[in-house]
C-alpha cells in the first residue's frame, strides 16, 4: 500500500485526574496534560466523565473543551444526566461506554444489541446536535451490525482482551482475539462505519494494531500516563506516535495483518 491511511492518536487524560484526586487538590492538572500531549503530537484528547466522578470532574470537561485546540472525545455512559452535560459541552465526539460503579475500568463493550431501544434516541439526539457518536463495543459481528443500524457513525473496538492476552503471554488467546479484531474492523468498514480502537494498548500492541488499515484512531491512556512518570508525557506521546507510524508503514503485508499474537 503506497499511501497508508492516517492513524490518529487520542490521548486519554483520565489518570492524570486520578493522581490529582488522590490528594483532592488541583495538581496534576489533566488540562495541562492535554496541552502537553497536543504539543507533542496527539491528534485529540479523550476524557471519561464517570457517574461517580472518580477521576475527571465536570469542570475538567468544560476546561478541556475551552482550552484545547484538538478534538475532544467525551466518554460517558448513556444516561440522561450525561446526555445533558454532553449537549451543553458540545464536544467533537461522544463515545458511549458501559459503566458499572464497582468496576476498576471499562471492562467490556457496550451491549448495543440488548440495549438498542434505549440507545437509539441517545444516538439520534447527539447526531442532531452535530456530535459524532462512537459506540465502544467488542469486535462481535452482531454488535457491529446493530451499531450500523443505529446510525452511529463510529465504533471503537475494545482491545482489552487482546492486550491482556498479549501481556500475559497467552498466545492462542491473543491470536484468536487478534483475528476477531481484524475481522470486526473489516466488517465495520464494509458497513460504512469509521473504526477506532482502544483499551489496554501499549507501545507494542499499538504498533501491531496500526497495521490494520481499517482502523483510523487509537485512544490510549493508562499505559501512557504510567510511562510519563518516568520519561515525561511529551516523550511518551512522541514514542507512541513513532510506534504507530512503524506499524502503519508495514501495511500491505497481509500476513502481518492477519496473524499477530
Ligand atoms: N477507549 C475507551 C472507550 C475507554 O473506556 C478507555 C479507558 O478509559 C480507553 C479507550 C483507554 O484505555 P486505556 O486507559 O487502557 O489505554
Amino acid at each position: 500500500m503506497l499511501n497508508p491511511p492516517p492513524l490518529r492518536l487520542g490521548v486519554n487524560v483520565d489518570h492524570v485526574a486520578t493522581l490529582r484526586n488522590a490528594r483532592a487538590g488541583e495538581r496534576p492538572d489533566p488540562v495541562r496534560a492535554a496541552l502537553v500531549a497536543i504539543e507533542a503530537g496527539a491528534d485529540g484528547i479523550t476524557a471519561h466523565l464517570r457517574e461517580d466522578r472518580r477521576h475527571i470532574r465536570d469542570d475538567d470537561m468544560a476546561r478541556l473543551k475551552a482550552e484545547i485546540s484538538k478534538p475532544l472525545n467525551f466518554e460517558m455512559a448513556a444516561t440522561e444526566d450525561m446526555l445533558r452535560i454532553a449537549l451543553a459541552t458540545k464536544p467533537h465526539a461522544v463515545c458511549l461506554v458501559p459503566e458499572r460503579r464497582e468496576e476498576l475500568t471499562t471492562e467490556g463493550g457496550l451491549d448495543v444489541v440488548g440495549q438498542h431501544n434505549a440507545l437509539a434516541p441517545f444516538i439520534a439526539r447527539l447526531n442532531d446536535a452535530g456530535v459524532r457518536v462512537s459506540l465502544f463495543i467488542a469486535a462481535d459481528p452482531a454488535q457491529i451490525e446493530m451499531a450500523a443500524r443505529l446510525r452511529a457513525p463510529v465504533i471503537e473496538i475494545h482491545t482489552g482482551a487482546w492486550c491482556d492476552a498479549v501481556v500475559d503471554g497467552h498466545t492462542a488467546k491473543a491470536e484468536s482475539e487478534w483475528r476477531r479484531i481484524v475481522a470486526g474492523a473489516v466488517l465495520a468498514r464494509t458497513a460504512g462505519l469509521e473504526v477506532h480502537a482502544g483499551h489496554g494498548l501499549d507501545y507494542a500492541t499499538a504498533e501491531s494494531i496500526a497495521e490494520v488499515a481499517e482502523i483510523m484512531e487509537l485512544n490510549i491512556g493508562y499505559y501512557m500516563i504510567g510511562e510519563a512518570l518516568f520519561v515525561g508525557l511529551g516523550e511518551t506521546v512522541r514514542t507512541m506516535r513513532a510506534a504507530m507510524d512503524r506499524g502503519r508503514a508495514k501495511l500491505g503485508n497481509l500476513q502481518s495483518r492477519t496473524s499477530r499474537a
Side-chain angles (χ1 to χ4, degrees):
M1 192 178 289
L2 283 179
N3 286 314
L7 179 63
R8 295 189 300 268
L9 169 60
V11 174
N12 180 314
V13 295
D14 290 352
H15 296 300
V16 178
T18 303
L19 205 54
R20 175 198 58 197
N21 296 358
R23 284 286 174 94
E26 298 304 319
R27 295 180 296 191
D29 178 10
V31 180
R32 181 176 173 197
L35 295 172
V36 169
I38 290 168
E39 177 73 27
D43 300 294
I45 297 297
T46 295
H48 183 178
L49 187 65
R50 292 187 74 105
E51 199 191 354
D52 61 9
R53 308 299 198 267
R54 69 173 71 156
H55 37 57
I56 294 293
R57 307 182 304 220
D58 300 54
D59 61 311
D60 293 327
M61 210 49 113
R63 288 177 55 232
L64 283 168
K65 167 67 185 168
E67 293 182 36
I68 66 173
S69 58
K70 296 276 178 171
L72 173 63
N73 179 28
F74 186 143
E75 270 183 35
M76 60 179 229
T79 67
E80 274 302 322
D81 196 33
M82 283 297 156
L83 182 63
R84 183 182 49 72
I85 298 170
L87 290 173
T89 308
K90 294 195 175 56
H92 169 77
V94 157
C95 181
L96 293 177
V97 301
E99 214 177 277
R100 287 191 297 121
R101 270 182 189 256
E102 63 277 17
E103 69 189 356
L104 287 175
T105 180
T106 313
E107 283 163 5
L110 199 59
D111 179 14
V112 296
V113 173
Q115 295 173 22
H116 68 277
N117 281 339
L119 289 170
F122 262 85
I123 296 167
R125 280 160 76 186
L126 288 161
N127 281 344
D128 288 349
V131 177
R132 219 165 150 66
V133 181
S134 163
L135 302 177
F136 187 47
I137 59 176
D140 172 56
Q143 300 290 346
I144 292 166
E145 280 155 13
M146 183 55 79
R149 279 177 51 195
L150 284 169
R151 299 192 187 288
V154 182
I155 60 159
E156 181 167 324
I157 293 179
H158 196 313
T159 52
W162 172 58
C163 292
D164 286 349
V166 171
V167 169
D168 296 342
H170 296 149
T171 313
K173 168 91 169 148
E175 182 69 28
S176 68
E177 289 294 334
W178 172 258
R179 287 180 190 283
R180 208 157 76 101
I181 290 169
V182 173
V186 171
L187 175 66
R189 278 303 299 139
T190 310
L193 293 158
E194 181 172 311
V195 186
H196 301 174
H199 211 283
L201 293 168
D202 60 14
Y203 294 140
T205 45
E207 181 171 341
S208 293
I209 207 162
E211 291 178 51
V212 182
E214 290 76 11
I215 295 177
M216 303 298 291
E217 178 175 307
L218 301 181
N219 286 305
I220 312 178
Y222 186 73
Y223 175 78
M224 294 183 73
I225 301 306
E227 280 299 294
L229 293 174
F230 303 104
V231 300
L233 184 55
E235 187 60 23
T236 305
V237 171
R238 283 187 288 276
T239 306
M240 182 59 80
R241 185 70 260 174
M244 289 163 56
D245 290 345
R246 276 196 306 279
R248 215 54 165 177
K250 289 182 218 154
L251 263 178
N253 177 352
L254 193 64
Q255 185 62 31
S256 66
R257 279 179 76 244
T258 53
S259 174
R260 175 71 51 188

